[in-house]
Amino acid sequence: MNYRMLGRTGLYVSELCFGAMTFGGEGRFKAIGTQGQSEADALVGRCLDTGINFFDTANVYSNGLSEQILGKALGERRKDVVLATKVRGRMGPGVNEVGLSRGHIMDSVHASLKRLGTDYIDLYQIHGFDAVTPIDETLRALDDLVRQGKVRYLGASNLAAWQLMKALGISEHRGLARFESLQAYYSIAGRELERELVPLMKDQQVGLMVWSPLAGGFLSGKYRRGAQGPEGARRTQFDFPPVNQERAYSVIDVMDGIAKAHSSSVARVALAWLLHQPHVTTIVIGAKTAEQLEDNLAAPELKLSPEQLAALETASALPPEYPGWMLAFQGQNRSPEQK
């Protein structure tokens, strides 16, 4: 297993992070996974044995059951891992049991610590933007948690570039702990992240955690142009995240040829492509079965040739948008001779 530094911190995390969203299977998360404690114990144990030291969940996953199952699965080995969870989602019927207010953050972190069976959270992430709560209130509350030792690092998820940059600016100006990572959707079938967020993260040294690297299973190899998806598959019940299917099928066609050349799976090629992107820190993988997990764990071993990477780049390239095409036209470097 390879390890990469999380943003500008001194914390090293495995390039594969195990996501526990499939644990529990309550509410709307039933369509994603229904793994109980024994299944989770086996999957987490296998990840630990292969060198994965990064585990991610959220309080909202199965109404907290995911956190509880993951905490028990880690057990005494919790001290050996980087444990991440999130706050923002609704955790009860009350008017204040949702969002990023100081009150909800403080209530939520104590509940998460109890469910996870730990005294501290390594990476505490906001699970999206809260348009109601001023961002400075959120950042001050999170900074207090860092100072209290209940949280070690802060992260964000599902933010627009302007929202992330505003938060980073406030943190720097006021001397608050800042977001060191962004967890965001990114796949070879969904590269919109590259327009604004990737340049920002490179400039500000923010780590990138990729969620849904297989586009909700669309890049698993189970879906082909003109064919019906397998019965019971995740996307037949929960069609998310959105995918431009025609563009994605073209990418799958290219990946299929590469997969055959490597005696690999299409899913493994999709993960390997992400690991070849220099702005990626870690990929959050999730698995319902031991077979799926083993296939994902093999992704770092798959080395794509320059020709294969070029073919994938051509098939998956984003259509140009303004101001991107204007910036490219003008060039990134200005010389004295430039008009």
Side-chain angles (χ1 to χ4, degrees), residues 21-184:
M21 189 166 61
T22 58
F23 293 176
E26 289 193 1
R28 68 178 184 274
F29 293 95
K30 185 176 182 180
I32 297 171
T34 58
Q35 293 154 331
Q37 193 64 59
S38 61
E39 296 165 300
D41 290 347
L43 292 171
V44 170
R46 176 60 179 147
C47 288
L48 290 167
D49 291 344
T50 60
I52 287 180
N53 77 336
F54 201 10
F55 292 82
D56 177 74
T57 183
N59 61 354
V60 75
Y61 296 163
S62 293
N63 301 316
L65 189 55
S66 172
E67 288 183 324
Q68 181 180 324
I69 292 173
L70 177 59
K72 289 182 178 179
L74 289 171
E76 294 182 356
R77 300 180 74 175
R78 185 269 173 271
K79 66 182 186 301
D80 303 321
V81 308
V82 177
L83 184 56
T85 191
K86 311 180 193 73
V87 59
R88 184 196 178 280
R90 178 166 290 284
M91 296 303 295
V95 67
N96 290 314
E97 292 183 276
V98 64
L100 294 174
S101 67
R102 170 177 285 273
H104 185 60
I105 288 173
M106 294 302 177
D107 290 342
S108 295
V109 74
H110 292 130
S112 287
L113 287 167
K114 183 177 180 179
R115 285 190 293 263
L116 289 165
T118 186
D119 296 326
Y120 64 95
I121 295 166
D122 294 285
L123 180 66
Y124 200 43
Q125 306 158 97
I126 63 168
H127 210 164
F129 185 68
D130 180 0
V132 174
T133 306
I135 186 63
D136 59 327
E137 176 181 338
T138 298
L139 292 170
R140 285 189 180 277
L142 294 172
D143 182 73
D144 285 345
L145 296 180
V146 173
R147 294 176 186 273
Q148 294 166 9
K150 296 173 182 176
V151 169
R152 294 187 171 178
Y153 298 96
L154 302 178
S157 181
N158 302 321
L159 295 188
W162 74 266
Q163 294 164 345
L164 177 58
M165 191 62 242
K166 181 177 181 179
L168 292 172
I170 291 173
S171 294
E172 181 175 2
H173 179 68
R174 299 186 179 177
L176 305 175
R178 72 166 213 163
F179 294 136
E180 301 293 354
S181 63
L182 177 72
Q183 187 171 161

Side-chain angles (χ1 to χ4, degrees), residues 1-2 4 15-16 46 49-51 262-265 267-269 271-273 275-276 283 293-305 308:
M1 183 62 60
N2 297 314
R4 304 181 183 188
E15 61 185 0
L16 296 181
R46 176 60 179 147
D49 291 344
T50 60
H262 287 274
S263 299
S264 174
S265 67
R268 204 182 306 172
V269 173
L271 296 178
W273 179 83
L275 290 174
H276 279 76
I283 300 173
L293 179 60
E294 292 300 326
D295 189 62
N296 289 349
L297 291 174
E301 302 170 9
L302 180 56
K303 304 302 179 185
L304 303 175
S305 69
Q308 290 169 337

